[in-house]
Amino acid sequence: MSGENEQDEPNGSGYRRGLDGPAPEERPTPDGRRNEQGIRIDPEVEAKQAPRRTVISTLVEHEPGVLSDVSGLFSRRQFNIESLTVGPTTDDDRARITLVVEEPDPGIDQIKKQLRKLIPVISVRELESDAMRRELALVKIDADRPAEVAAVTDMYDGKTVDSCPETATIEITGSRQKIDAAIETFEQFGIREIDRTGTTALARGTQSTAAPASTTESTAEAASHPQNQYAPADDD
Amino acid sequence: MSERATSIPPEEQHDDQDAESHADGDDTTAGAPSADAPVTGDGTQPEPVTTGAESVVRALENAGVEHAFGVQGGAIMPVYDALYDSEITHVTMAHEQGASHAADAYGIVSGEPGVCLATSGPGATNLVTGIADADMDSDPMLALTGQVPTDFVGNDAFQETDTTGVMTPVTKDNTFAADPDRVGTDVSEAFALAREGRPGPTLVDLPKDVTNAETDREPDEPATPDTYEVTEEADPTIVASAAERIGNATRPIMLLGGGVIKGEASEACRKFAIKHEIPVVTTMPGIGSFPEDHELSMEMAGMHGTGYANMAITHCDTMIAVGTRFDDRLTGGIETFAPDAEIIHIDIDPAEISKNIHADYPLVGDADTVVSQLARAVETSPQATKWRAQCQQWKSDYSMAYDVPEDEPIQPEFVVEALDEATSDRAVVTTGVGQHQMWACQYWTYTEPRTWVSSHGLGTMGYGLPAAIGARLAADDDQEVVCIDGDGSFLMTLQGLSVAVRENLDITVAVLNNEYIGMVRQWQDAFFEGRHSASDYGWMPEFDKLAEAFGANGFRIDEYDEVADTIEAALAEDGPSVIDVHIDPQANVYPMVPSGGDNGQFALAEDQL
Ligand SMILES: Cc1ncc(C[n+]2csc(CCOP(=O)(O)OP(=O)(O)O)c2C)c(N)n1
Ligand SMILES: [Mg+2]
């Protein structure tokens, strides 16, 4: 019952297998083309989008599993995430997750949409570039040169939170860039350990961070004019 | 705290379900006081719930669930015990994977979430494939899994798995039920979520102490959580501009995806296409959304779509895409996908808009609602006489006609057509995954929604038989259920035959037996110099005899002149039949667009790849 298929070579049996019709090279092809994002290419503007860094603030149900839902989404869809912070809000049932991501616009658009699809996610907002952003870092350094350490700490509005003959631990608060700069400066003393919280952020003034972003974020706009949609975000 | 507790009139005595034997319980903690009181059917007030498990079953009953598929086990026993008194018909499957596929198919055919149950640990992990399958295809499904008692969770207890952790990437939503007073409502909510908006699988993990615990809390009616929002109507300004675009189109097509069927928009799309004489292409999950015997039908597009569908997609100037996520098997390379077309994309899930293909006119909303909005907004039909003639020309240029050399082994296309001919228009087809699945797409003429049941996104071998079991229970009695399977696929889940025999389910399985992992063999011939690494089974059991050993009817076909009669005989049997059809082992599926290729450059034979 078996072993009848001796002709192991491709197309071993006699006749040509396949369907009839003009071969590929005899078929006309349309002129147009699409780019990586599936956008029809206007020969003038073949926009290849550069990634940008932005802050996305989400309000979520304070329940088990939400954090893994959110972080799982990022790994599963290969979104680039720089930091994620989570903490309670004024409402015991809700937590805020603040995400710093770096993606081209279509990726940022997808992140927001995919986050909104998670059932425990209540609201998602990409913060404007003027939003307040703060991060806290603890930097443990060698304390061989206490006077210089104190000067640098002062320069970055830092606070010494612990010190012993060998080490000093400094707390720095501020924008990501400020902390980067402080750490770079502290390097001269020899850094033993660092812990950073990642960015926390709130919208400015009377705006609610959980409210849908004030600027038009209708799918229509976002889809048709991704380039016009977002001002480049620079940290404060 | 329960305001919903109702006072119940003295119940009438009713016939108990006459299931064979009560499963032996290994657990007697927190016993339900009134466990053996009968539950009444037909409209009379049901007994109040007394345990978490009873509220779980009550939630299913309230949701109108009639069938459930599953396998018993320690952690889910309280739920099964409550099911024992319910009107819900439970089908004990031979394997939990089968339960998940049966529930998936049940959901596809009925439109309501199919329900599957499994115990903790291996029961739950065995469901993963079917749940992932439902997730990829947006099929409505509710899975209920037992879990070790709450106090044991996290201690690596016997048969403990982090089920919600495992399932998170493959479910629309899932819940660990921690509260006996809330567990019924958790199930109601999960049922509603599975069905509403873009459907998908949901799961509730049920720790045994929670289902065993006493509660008099009736579940809430099935409703989605407040935070779950679905947009029904699309933005009217975009509808208006899309309508204008359609009016100005000269080479329009409609591309109908699975969302058309799930959103019950087939009728609206059909009317729209016919009114404006727009050629229609479908995706694979969209099969059945438009009658393939209609002049405007170009049938399925994509990797193994028809040449004419792929030509139409490639050359159109306006595409009205409904309920599709532009999977790569459909689009081929993105650069060459409908390069001239402005795309009107209708989808209920905003995240599908411009995910793979940029939408020039994004219309977020319910497919039926938005197509109707569009229908009202379009004032003039496209001027597309030439285009339609071109489409018809492609249909004859790239006809799907095939040779039937009498002295060669049976060609699979012939078998698919013979099965189609022998069955009614509303017959339901299920499949495995491989070449046979593609022939089932290409050579069966589908005319009705919810008659094509297959594993599209995940591509799960072994889907066909358990899906046929689920489809059988969801379909009307006058709908035949035919599983077009591959030998390899059938081998993966054929233990389901025991279920089909026990339940006397009228299904016909036609195994297109090439003794090959055929699709892989075809790719090896085309792309790996014919090196048949691990694709040549070389030997297969005799499926007709195997069927007989299970108690099903077994048939075998080796010659062309046996095809029609044997199919007729198999279909005539009341219970399950299996036809082992020995087809040409060298038969290949064409046309073919290689992965990432240009849809317009499909190959018609291997030498064109
Ligand atoms: C569960 C699973 N394992 C492996 C594959 C990879 N695969 C795709 S098609 C195929 C061959 C299927 O063989 P068969 O069911 O006999 O179908 P045929 O192609 O021969 O018609 C395989 C192994 C798959 N799709 N699913
Ligand atoms: Mg095979």
Side-chain angles (χ1 to χ4, degrees), chain A residues 198-226:
Chain A
T199 300
T200 57
L202 286 178
R204 276 203 190 269
T206 53
Q207 293 180 62
S208 156
T209 305
S214 48
T215 47
T216 48
E217 218 190 276
S218 87
T219 319
E221 294 278 319
S224 318
H225 310 288

Side-chain angles (χ1 to χ4, degrees), chain A residues 134-191:
Chain A
R134 288 293 180 275
E135 180 174 354
L136 183 145
L138 293 176
V139 188
K140 190 186 283 182
I141 52 181
D142 291 330
D144 304 338
R145 292 138 65 190
E148 285 172 58
V149 167
V152 174
T153 303
D154 249 19
M155 192 165 99
Y156 289 100
D157 289 332
K159 244 198 272 169
T160 308
V161 285
D162 180 50
S163 74
C164 68
E166 290 84 24
T167 67
T169 302
I170 317 296
E171 171 197 319
I172 314 273
T173 315
S175 70
R176 208 175 52 90
Q177 283 94 329
K178 175 178 157 189
I179 291 173
D180 285 347
I183 289 171
E184 213 182 302
T185 319
F186 279 122
E187 255 158 23
Q188 57 180 307
F189 308 116
I191 297 179

Side-chain angles (χ1 to χ4, degrees), chain A residues 1-18:
Chain A
M1 55 162 290
S2 61
E4 290 140 313
N5 5 311
E6 271 93 50
Q7 292 135 322
D8 260 349
E9 322 82 44
N11 287 338
S13 51
Y15 63 97
R16 174 181 178 280
R17 288 164 194 278

Side-chain angles (χ1 to χ4, degrees), chain B residues 487-488 512 514 516-518:
Chain B
D487 45 338
L512 302 187
N514 48 15
Y516 265 118
I517 297 191

Side-chain angles (χ1 to χ4, degrees), chain B residues 433-436 459-461 486-489 492 514 516-520:
Chain B
V433 168
Q435 291 181 311
H436 63 280
T460 311
M461 287 172 71
D487 45 338
S489 294
M492 286 207 177
N514 48 15
Y516 265 118
I517 297 191
M519 187 56 99
V520 171

Side-chain angles (χ1 to χ4, degrees), chain B residues 161-433:
Chain B
T161 296
D162 174 9
T163 303
T164 54
V166 168
M167 300 294 185
T168 292
V170 294
T171 47
K172 178 171 170 182
D173 189 42
N174 64 64
T175 310
F176 177 88
D179 176 1
D181 288 340
R182 163 84 211 173
V183 63
T185 298
D186 284 341
V187 171
S188 299
E189 198 173 278
F191 187 90
L193 270 174
R195 181 180 55 189
E196 298 303 316
R198 179 179 182 172
T202 57
L203 177 141
V204 185
D205 199 27
L206 303 163
K208 195 171 185 178
D209 57 325
V210 170
T211 48
N212 264 332
E214 288 181 32
T215 178
D216 59 0
R217 186 65 188 256
E218 297 285 332
D220 292 351
E221 288 301 309
T224 53
D226 297 341
T227 52
Y228 186 71
E229 283 168 21
V230 178
T231 309
E232 296 287 331
E233 263 186 48
D235 182 336
T237 53
I238 311 175
V239 170
S241 50
E244 196 182 323
R245 172 69 205 187
I246 293 169
N248 292 329
T250 55
R251 290 172 284 143
I253 65 160
M254 289 184 84
L255 171 66
L256 306 186
V260 172
I261 295 169
K262 290 172 216 307
E264 299 291 351
S266 305
E267 194 48 42
C269 290
R270 201 178 299 214
K271 280 194 187 140
F272 188 88
I274 291 170
K275 174 166 184 206
H276 299 293
E277 296 181 89
I278 300 172
V280 178
V281 169
T282 72
T283 68
M284 186 156 78
I287 285 176
S289 58
F290 191 80
E292 293 186 326
D293 54 2
H294 194 280
E295 200 191 0
L296 288 168
S297 173
M298 308 296 281
E299 300 163 44
M300 179 181 85
M303 180 176 277
H304 288 299
T306 63
Y308 33 99
N310 284 329
M311 289 302 274
I313 279 217
T314 305
H315 292 269
C316 67
D317 71 353
T318 305
M319 177 185 287
I320 308 162
V322 191
T324 171
R325 61 187 169 83
F326 293 107
D327 177 78
D328 54 276
R329 293 279 145 132
L330 167 76
T331 59
I334 281 174
E335 328 75 62
T336 47
F337 180 77
D340 287 346
E342 294 217 343
I343 291 180
I344 299 164
H345 189 184
I346 301 174
D347 207 288
I348 197 155
D349 181 357
E352 288 307 337
I353 302 291
S354 300
K355 184 185 81 180
N356 293 342
I357 295 291
H358 178 80
D360 300 286
Y361 303 86
L363 297 174
V364 176
D366 168 70
D368 188 41
T369 310
V370 181
V371 172
S372 307
Q373 281 180 282
L374 207 51
R376 286 192 299 274
V378 174
E379 280 164 7
T380 48
S381 293
Q383 298 295 303
T385 319
K386 249 176 87 182
W387 169 244
R388 280 190 297 273
Q390 174 67 74
C391 287
Q392 292 308 321
Q393 183 61 43
W394 282 326
K395 271 182 152 179
S396 71
D397 285 353
Y398 300 107
S399 136
M400 294 296 285
Y402 55 95
D403 286 335
V404 188
E406 288 291 329
D407 51 341
E408 294 274 338
I410 297 174
Q411 296 304 305
E413 300 91 330
F414 184 84
V415 183
V416 173
E417 287 192 336
L419 283 161
D420 187 9
E421 226 149 81
T423 49
S424 70
D425 278 355
R426 296 184 63 232
V428 176
V429 177
T430 75
T431 72
V433 168

